[in-house]
Amino acid sequence: MAEFQLFAYQEEVVERALKGENIIIWLPTGGGKTRAAVYVAKKHLETTKNAKVVVLVNKVHLVDQHYSREFQPHLGNKYSVMPVSGESEEKDFFGIMMQEKDVVICTAQILYNALIHAEEAKHVELSDITLLIIDECHHTQKESVYNKVMRRYVEKKLKGERPLPQILGLTASPGTGGEKILDKAVEHVLQICANLDSAIVSAKNFAPELEQKVPRPIKTFDIVEKRILDPFGEHVKSMMEMIHGFMNLPPDVRLRECGTQEYEADVVILEQRGVRESNRMLAQCAIHLRQYNDALLINDTLRMMDAYRSLEDFYTTKSSAAIDGTDFFLVGLFEENQVELRKLAMDARFENPKMAKLESTLLKQFGPDIQSRGILFSKTRKSTHCLNDWVLKNRALQEAGIKAAILTGAGSGITYMTQNEQVDTIRNFRKGSLNLLISTSVAEEGLDIPECNLVVRYGLLTNEIAQQQASGRARARDSQYSVVAQEGGKEVRRERINEYLEELTGKAIDVVQKMGPQEFRTKIGELQTEAALRSKFAERCKTEKRSRYSASRVQLLCRNCFAPVASGNDMKLVDNAHYVNVNSEFKNHYKLGAQVVLKRNFEDWEPGHRIICNNGNCNMDWGYEIKYKKSALLPNIAIKNFALETPDGRMTVKQWKDIPFTVDDFSFTEYCEENFPDLFD
């Protein structure tokens, strides 16, 4: 087994953890938190009978990173170490695998699923674990899966149930929880400590050594003067005004400024109102206005052509799916203005000046004879794709030797990456075949790239935690942290606020650390008791909400054409994940679209074709069929694409967890008895 030593500041922060205390280690990004955790795990395994270490991470790509770069090299010769993620077969017999391995590294969701699973082969108890290491533990709050795991821990603790694992949390940035005054920030830090049942430690005696080992990057604001002329944006706004006039806005509706997040919030509410009031004109106009507003937001951050294409993509299928006069007006408005919009989008004289500033920022660090490595952070998956396309087509950036790739979150959608794609991209970045990652926030936390010497934040409004995490990616000596933003814009103001909140976080932690042991334990106990009561109350409210109506009294309507297509009692829940319609008549209401292709395999099901509303020319996308246990073809629907007609009126919900009726679990046996009775002869 490879031996390793800690720096003095690392030895300082692990001291109490080595004594068996529950501890949160607070060190800056690049300070070696994971290495310190490996050291604690090693000593724990050496001194604890029947030791079982579980390492929780909140991003899929961190499973492999922690395994291959830290835990396996330092523990693998003497102990069995296993990485498990959503794409690992081991998750399907997690309970058995846990018994056989000394160290398991997994996403928090996998452990939580195991804690609540009834099947023995998949079930795990907290008492099976002796040391639980929680990476990026500042996420242990509210309804995060980290907090769901720790709630079970705290509930057992309050009931006096033992044994429980020792907790070791790791964070670079606990944050203030959005609070701007010290007392409230202290409350936030104490709540994190209560949620993790842990004290928080940091380098005090050896802080100078830490500062030397983890230099902060040089921060610059690359400011862009406000766009003088924006004919494309003005033309889009004039079209939005025409829609405002057409839709005859209700007198009590006030829409805020076009091209802002506030306007987007307004039209989302407007669409919901249109559905509730059976006012299809209001609902559809709101949907189209949101698309135009998205185009304005894109125009403010990316190229005009990116904004134009976002509209073009949206309207590609709309002309063939018109139902009534509202649709004909909205589609006609775009088609009448399409040529002019495209012409304006292609006029280089009016291009977004932020793109030129971003280009110059990159060219300061990249060149044919300059070995640089950088991360460009952007807000959405869509914007990362647009920026990557821009880099590929930009002659100056190509001549500077920039080899870029996208890094976005893992998931099952078209724009998501698989875990393997993430791992390959990060590996290529580390070895230098790529030198610029264009990333969403997925790369802010935990990505271990010491050689990175440039971080650019572009078009981002985030909190102090994200800012600190992103800044910490620039770890090379004399590295650069750049904020590209408009003069006097929201990004600069937010960045300045975050700098203040970062300082406030440190002050709040200092207050907590100076509390006497008795005072700290008393406060933590009070917060844990309050949290347990809140959790029970929330569960009661959830149950009451789910029992507000019987399923048979709720009708599901297509959210686009308002046609009633199903009853609430047609719905069943498969494997606590898929809401399917088991009424054989439901298939008369939809037609099949393209085959759904997901980049990973699942244990008991596989995707089928998309299902689309078959009412006239509606063509609303409802979800997709799944083939369950290789035999049952079930329509799996997204509730956001439907309206709910209840005894008290019509409503909309974003997610199934928000519905006001109870959905029973799916029974494969009952389904087969009803649909294939001959199998039981």
Side-chain angles (χ1 to χ4, degrees):
M1 180 173 62
E3 290 297 331
F4 64 95
Q5 295 294 317
L6 298 183
F7 294 115
Y9 71 84
Q10 290 173 310
E11 291 179 351
E12 181 182 1
V13 297
V14 302
E15 186 178 346
R16 291 172 63 180
L18 294 176
K19 295 176 183 176
E21 293 184 48
N22 287 0
I23 292 298
I24 298 168
I25 292 176
W26 176 46
L27 286 175
T29 301
K33 295 181 295 297
T34 311
R35 181 64 54 88
V38 174
Y39 188 84
V40 173
K42 176 177 177 290
K43 296 300 182 184
H44 181 86
L45 289 161
E46 291 170 352
T47 58
T48 307
K49 186 179 180 181
N50 299 322
K52 186 77 63 180
V53 179
V54 173
V55 184
L56 298 187
V57 299
N58 67 323
K59 299 265 173 55
V60 172
H61 68 268
L62 297 180
V63 173
D64 179 70
Q65 177 174 294
H66 284 352
Y67 171 76
S68 60
R69 294 175 72 84
E70 294 289 353
F71 286 89
Q72 178 62 17
H74 293 111
L75 302 178
N77 286 352
K78 189 173 180 181
Y79 303 101
S80 55
V81 184
M82 174 63 73
V84 185
S85 67
E87 296 183 6
S88 308
E89 292 182 0
E90 287 81 7
K91 75 178 189 303
D92 298 329
F93 46 92
F94 193 74
I96 296 172
M97 189 269 301
M98 274 279 292
Q99 296 173 21
E100 300 171 348
K101 303 298 176 183
D102 299 310
V103 182
V104 175
I105 305 165
C106 64
T107 54
Q109 189 66 54
I110 285 177
L111 176 61
Y112 182 69
N113 290 347
L115 291 173
I116 63 175
H117 212 290
E119 191 178 326
E120 187 175 351
K122 297 182 179 182
H123 183 69
V124 168
E125 286 287 341
L126 279 172
S127 56
D128 299 333
I129 304 166
T130 57
L131 174 63
L132 183 62
I133 299 172
I134 303 180
D135 190 37
E136 308 293 356
C137 70
H138 51 274
H139 291 296
T140 312
Q141 54 180 313
K142 299 179 182 177
E143 293 307 306
S144 73
V145 67
Y146 276 170
N147 212 21
K148 289 179 180 178
V149 171
M150 285 307 301
R151 270 190 202 143
R152 298 178 74 86
Y153 176 103
V154 171
E155 284 170 9
K156 289 179 180 295
K157 176 202 168 186
L158 293 176
K159 291 176 183 176
E161 295 181 20
R162 300 290 188 273
L164 288 171
Q166 179 187 353
I167 304 297
L168 178 63
L170 310 175
T171 183
S173 44
T176 69
E179 303 295 347
K180 294 182 175 64
I181 60 174
L182 182 58
D183 287 352
K184 293 293 185 181
V186 169
E187 286 180 20
H188 171 75
V189 173
L190 281 170
Q191 187 66 65
I192 295 288
C193 291
N195 294 346
L196 287 152
D197 195 41
S198 300
I200 187 165
V201 298
S202 57
K204 297 288 189 184
N205 299 327
F206 296 95
E209 180 194 47
L210 172 60
E211 290 173 11
Q212 184 182 5
K213 295 290 183 185
V214 189
R216 292 180 71 92
I218 301 162
K219 184 171 184 176
T220 61
F221 285 92
D222 291 314
I223 301 300
V224 184
E225 290 185 6
K226 192 169 183 179
R227 211 173 191 164
I228 298 172
L229 293 173
D230 182 17
F232 176 85
E234 292 304 320
H235 197 89
V236 170
K237 289 178 182 178
S238 71
M239 294 169 69
M240 295 170 78
E241 288 298 331
M242 292 179 71
I243 297 175
H244 292 166
F246 171 80
M247 68 197 292
N248 192 19
L249 275 170
D252 60 330
V253 172
R254 293 288 181 270
L255 298 177
R256 284 169 285 185
E257 183 183 355
C258 296
T260 64
Q261 297 291 347
E262 291 79 12
Y263 183 92
E264 179 177 322
D266 291 342
V267 292
V268 166
I269 292 170
L270 196 62
E271 188 270 340
Q272 293 167 351
R273 175 171 173 170
V275 173
R276 285 197 311 272
E277 298 177 356
S278 295
N279 186 337
R280 190 172 182 277
M281 175 190 287
L282 203 64
Q284 287 303 307
C285 286
I287 289 171
H288 287 248
L289 284 169
R290 184 176 181 181
Q291 292 297 322
Y292 282 110
N293 196 65
D294 281 347
L296 289 175
L297 291 170
I298 293 169
N299 182 53
D300 184 55
T301 308
L302 302 164
R303 296 168 296 186
M304 294 184 293
M305 188 52 74
D306 296 321
Y308 168 77
R309 287 191 183 123
S310 73
L311 289 171
E312 190 177 53
D313 291 345
F314 175 72
Y315 281 100
T316 297
T317 58
K318 291 296 178 183
S319 58
S320 60
I323 296 175
D324 57 21
T326 297
D327 295 325
F328 288 116
F329 167 77
L330 292 167
V331 172
L333 179 66
F334 176 74
E335 290 178 346
E336 288 167 12
N337 288 272
Q338 186 172 6
V339 173
E340 181 64 16
L341 283 173
R342 184 177 178 83
K343 178 183 173 185
L344 291 170
M346 295 176 69
D347 194 330
R349 293 175 299 167
F350 308 116
E351 192 52 274
N352 188 350
K354 289 180 184 175
M355 300 300 292
K357 179 59 73 174
L358 178 59
E359 177 185 314
S360 66
T361 299
L362 293 172
L363 290 175
K364 288 175 189 174
Q365 293 287 332
F366 288 93
D369 303 317
I370 304 172
Q371 293 297 313
S372 279
R373 203 164 300 178
I375 306 178
L376 170 56
F377 285 107
S378 190
K379 184 178 179 181
T380 64
R381 292 189 301 276
K382 187 172 186 177
S383 64
T384 63
H385 285 268
C386 292
L387 287 168
N388 189 54
D389 180 68
W390 169 70
V391 170
L392 289 172
K393 293 176 179 176
N394 186 295
R395 180 179 296 178
L397 298 180
Q398 290 303 302
E399 289 176 352
I402 292 181
K403 299 181 287 291
I406 294 164
L407 181 64
T408 58
S412 57
I414 296 171
T415 58
Y416 287 92
M417 299 179 77
T418 65
Q419 180 187 351
N420 289 335
E421 287 171 338
Q422 284 185 338
V423 170
D424 288 344
T425 298
I426 294 166
R427 185 186 301 117
N428 289 331
F429 189 54
R430 282 203 185 101
K431 70 183 184 181
S433 55
L434 296 171
N435 57 15
L436 180 66
L437 288 183
I438 303 174
S439 179
T440 54
S441 60
V442 71
E444 284 174 351
E445 293 184 347
L447 192 59
D448 184 19
I449 309 167
E451 303 84 3
C452 189
N453 64 320
L454 174 67
V455 164
V456 181
R457 280 165 59 81
Y458 186 70
L460 288 175
L461 289 168
T462 56
N463 62 21
E464 74 281 7
I465 294 176
Q467 178 176 312
Q468 285 175 260
Q469 296 279 9
S471 174
R473 298 303 119 212
R475 303 204 197 150
R477 291 283 167 187
D478 301 320
S479 56
Q480 193 82 18
Y481 172 80
S482 169
V483 179
V484 178
Q486 183 177 294
E487 184 178 18
K490 292 180 180 179
E491 296 98 332
V492 176
R493 292 198 298 274
R494 185 70 233 185
E495 201 80 14
R496 295 297 189 199
I497 291 170
N498 287 343
E499 289 171 359
Y500 163 74
L501 294 179
E502 184 178 347
E503 289 182 21
L504 189 62
T505 300
K507 291 176 183 176
I509 291 171
D510 194 48
V511 171
V512 171
Q513 290 175 333
K514 287 177 179 175
M515 287 180 179
Q518 185 60 47
E519 181 189 7
F520 178 77
R521 281 195 295 269
T522 300
K523 287 184 179 293
I524 293 305
E526 290 172 352
L527 288 169
Q528 289 176 337
T529 302
E530 288 175 13
L533 290 171
R534 278 199 309 271
S535 179
K536 288 178 181 177
F537 181 73
E539 195 59 39
R540 179 185 294 178
C541 290
K542 183 179 176 182
T543 302
E544 289 175 356
K545 182 179 179 181
R546 279 293 180 99
S547 57
R548 192 184 309 167
Y549 309 111
S550 65
S552 61
R553 299 188 70 198
V554 177
Q555 289 289 311
L556 274 66
L557 283 62
C558 173
R559 190 155 175 169
N560 183 49
C561 67
F562 299 161
V565 294
S567 169
N569 59 1
D570 295 335
M571 303 307 302
K572 303 296 178 193
L573 179 58
V574 175
D575 293 344
N576 206 36
H578 311 286
Y579 287 84
V580 301
N581 190 313
V582 295
N583 188 331
S584 59
E585 297 296 314
F586 183 60
K587 65 178 180 291
N588 298 325
H589 293 289
Y590 69 81
K591 56 189 175 185
L592 297 179
Q595 170 71 37
V596 174
V597 179
L598 302 179
K599 298 177 183 177
R600 54 179 286 201
N601 297 320
F602 300 89
E603 182 182 7
D604 288 327
W605 67 278
E606 58 188 79
H609 290 264
R610 300 216 70 84
I611 57 175
I612 299 165
C613 180
N614 198 29
N615 180 33
N617 210 26
C618 177
N619 294 317
M620 178 73 175
D621 190 327
W622 286 349
Y624 58 90
E625 290 185 327
I626 63 171
K627 193 172 187 180
Y628 185 66
K629 293 189 182 295
K630 300 188 182 302
S631 53
L633 202 58
L634 304 167
N636 174 39
I637 68 174
I639 195 62
K640 66 180 181 180
N641 297 328
F642 293 83
L644 304 179
E645 194 74 74
T646 75
D648 297 316
R650 192 174 295 179
M651 63 182 293
T652 60
V653 294
K654 280 186 178 180
Q655 298 174 297
W656 279 102
K657 66 180 180 64
D658 299 320
I659 59 172
F661 61 94
T662 301
V663 174
D664 295 330
D665 288 333
F666 174 77
S667 167
F668 183 66
T669 303
E670 289 178 11
Y671 176 84
C672 290
E673 285 177 347
E674 185 172 329
N675 291 274
F676 310 106
D678 55 303
L679 296 176
F680 296 85
D681 292 342

